[in-house]
Structures are given as C-alpha cells and as structure tokens.
C-alpha cells in the first residue's frame, strides 16, 4: 500500500479514480499488427496505434521516434513510410533496444526495414546536435505508467509525488529537444501513458511558453468514443474507452 499514491490521484480524478483503478486491472484492448503470414505478429494497445497515427507521417518524410523501445509505435510509423523516407528509432536503454531490434527484424518486411536506423542517444541532446533535421518526431516519453504501478507492489511502494514532478521536468527537456530538432513546418506528437496531469497538459503548457512564437498547437481528432479533450491534447482512458489507454497525446507544429 502507498497512501500518497491513492491520495494524489483521488485529488485529481475525484469519484472517477476507483473506476480507473478497476479498468486498469482489466484486459487491454489490443490490435494485432501482422504485415505478412511469414512475419511475427505484434500486439499493440489501439490507443498506442492512435498516438503514432496522430503524427500523420507520409512516405518520403524523415521521421524520428525519440524514445522508441520496445517498438510498437515504431512499427506503425514504419508501416506508413513503407520503405520510402527515413526512420530513426532511438532509445537510450541497451536492454530495451534489444527488444526494439527484435520487433523491427521480426515484424517488418525487409524493404520497410531498409530505411530504419536504430540509435541509442540521450534524446534530450537531439535539439542541440540535430537542429531542424526532421519532418516528424514522435516523443513517447518515459512517464509514471500508473497502469503498471498499480499492478506492481514494488513500483507502487516506490511511487512519490516528487517522482512525477521529476518526470515532468525530464519530459519538458525532451519536448524542447524535439521542437529544436524539427524542421520548420515539421510536426511533433508528445505522448505518455501517464495519468498525472503534471506529465501531460502541464508539459505542453510549459513548452508553449518556452518556445513561444516557434510552435503552434494543432488539433487532434478524438479517435475513439469516450476519448476526452484536455486543455492541450486528447486523453484516452480505459474506463471510458473500452480498456484502451491510458494514452495522452498533444500535437505541435514548428512555425519558425
Ligand atoms: C514509454 S517508453 C517508449 C515506448 C515506445 N514508444 C513503444 O511504443 O514501444 C519510454 C522509453 O524512453 C526511453 N528513454 C528514457 N529516457 C530517455 C532519454 N533521455 N533518451 C532516450 N530514450 C529514453 C526508455 O528507455 C523507454 O524505452
């Protein structure tokens, strides 16, 4: 038990919090990605597929998936590019990169894989070293992952309000890096599987101030029945979206 965890989320979600907890323990609503009979299938939460599709990638674009492992959203991006353009799948964790490589090698046809490069950089450095380099960036940021926390006594015991505040700062610097690495006219989708508002709207609110005049907020279609608009994005939560999510996403265009 960790009373701080339950207090924090009860404060934000009120009467809805017990319903969310209940929905977390139910099965995720997954879809099967399988690109041919001879390739392995990959099962992905439909809300994750939605986040990747929000980026509106088109064949020929240069695309960066900043925090890509274990790779579900990279598969969606790669299938849209279908071998035309470039896709850089980056993740700092060597262990998770092994899972990413496995997913790419076993799920994608060889010609789609030929345009993919896997890298292991600290994503907060892209803005500095690769300024204005990409047409599209997906930042699926490291986050509190409350769905996972409630199912793991170890992670539940480790949760603290300080941790979600620290993650919010880290997410802010990753998003600033993504904005700086985008070409003018390029688009970034910021997504998390967090419930904490500090890791969702608050991160977008900060970047709107920090990069004022350089970016504009874009509208995202709701995608699913039960999906909710927030101040800056869309939240898909499992209690109202038939087990899908949680996924928060917000979309920004670089205008200058
Ligand atoms: C939410 S997960 C990404 C899930 C992935 N997009 C997918 O759809 O399968 C966040 C990832 O960010 C990676 N990460 C955390 N901090 C990072 C950093 N500073 N630079 C690059 N990757 C980072 C973690 O290793 C983790 O794999």
């Amino acid at each position: 038990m960790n009373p701080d965890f339950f207090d924090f989320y009860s404060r934000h979600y009120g009467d809805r919090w017990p319903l969310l907890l209940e929905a977390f323990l139910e099965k995720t609503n997954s879809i099967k990605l399988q690109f041919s009979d001879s390739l392995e299938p990959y099962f992905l939460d439909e809300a994750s597929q939605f986040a990747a599709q929000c980026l509106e990638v088109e064949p020929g674009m240069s695309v960066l998936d900043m925090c890509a492992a274990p790779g579900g959203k990279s598969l969606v991006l790669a299938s849209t590019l279908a071998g035309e353009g470039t896709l850089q799948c980056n993740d700092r964790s060597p262990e998770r990169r092994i899972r990413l490589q496995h997913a790419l090698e076993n799920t994608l046809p060889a010609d789609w894989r030929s345009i993919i490069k896997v890298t292991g950089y600290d994503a907060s450095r892209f803005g500095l070293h690769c300024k204005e380099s990409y047409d599209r960036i997906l930042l699926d940021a490291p986050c509190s992952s409350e769905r996972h926390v409630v199912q793991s006594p170890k992670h539940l015991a480790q949760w603290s309000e300080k941790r979600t505040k620290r993650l919010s700062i880290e997410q802010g610097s990753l998003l600033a890096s993504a904005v700086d690495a985008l070409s003018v006219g390029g688009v970034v989708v910021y997504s998390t599987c967090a419930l904490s508002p500090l890791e969702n709207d608050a991160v977008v609110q900060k970047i709107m101030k920090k990069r004022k005049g350089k970016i504009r907020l874009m509208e995202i279609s709701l995608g699913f029945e039960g999906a909710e608009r927030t101040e800056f994005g869309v939240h898909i939560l499992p209690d109202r979206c038939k087990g899908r999510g949680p996924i928060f996403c917000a979309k920004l265009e670089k205008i200058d």
Side-chain angles (χ1 to χ4, degrees), residues 110-211:
D111 54 333
W112 293 4
R113 272 196 331 258
S114 64
I115 60 156
I116 300 178
K117 179 166 88 172
V118 174
T119 56
Y121 303 123
D122 172 358
S124 66
R125 315 291 288 170
F126 277 99
L128 202 63
H129 299 298
C130 309
K131 273 190 196 309
E132 310 209 335
S133 302
Y134 301 93
D135 301 315
R136 294 286 184 273
I137 298 180
L138 176 64
L139 170 56
D140 188 35
C143 71
S144 278
S145 297
E146 294 88 347
R147 186 171 198 147
H148 178 65
V149 169
V150 296
Q151 292 175 34
S152 154
K154 182 180 139 207
H155 289 106
L156 188 56
Q158 284 170 351
W159 185 92
S160 67
E161 192 162 337
K162 222 166 143 186
R163 186 166 183 271
T164 175
K165 285 183 178 156
R166 184 180 55 70
L167 277 164
S168 174
I169 293 168
E170 191 183 335
Q171 290 152 349
S173 79
L174 290 170
L175 186 51
S177 169
V179 166
D180 296 346
L182 268 185
S183 307
V184 175
V187 173
V188 57
V189 165
Y190 171 72
S191 64
T192 75
C193 60
L195 285 188
S196 169
L198 305 179
E199 299 179 41
N200 295 331
D201 269 344
V203 175
V204 184
Q205 184 175 35
K206 266 195 197 149
I207 196 76
M208 296 298 290
K209 254 196 190 163
K210 211 165 155 182
R211 294 290 185 272

Side-chain angles (χ1 to χ4, degrees), residues 42 44 48-49 52 65-75 90-97 99-100 119-126 138-143 145 167 170 173-174 191-193 247:
Y42 190 99
L44 181 70
S48 293
Q49 180 191 40
D65 189 352
M66 271 188 142
C67 296
K73 297 182 191 72
S74 293
L75 296 177
N90 180 74
D91 202 283
R92 194 173 57 171
S93 156
E95 297 80 31
R96 289 173 69 92
R97 271 202 311 281
R99 291 173 61 195
L100 169 66
T119 56
Y121 303 123
D122 172 358
S124 66
R125 315 291 288 170
F126 277 99
L138 176 64
L139 170 56
D140 188 35
C143 71
S145 297
L167 277 164
E170 191 183 335
S173 79
L174 290 170
S191 64
T192 75
C193 60
I247 284 283

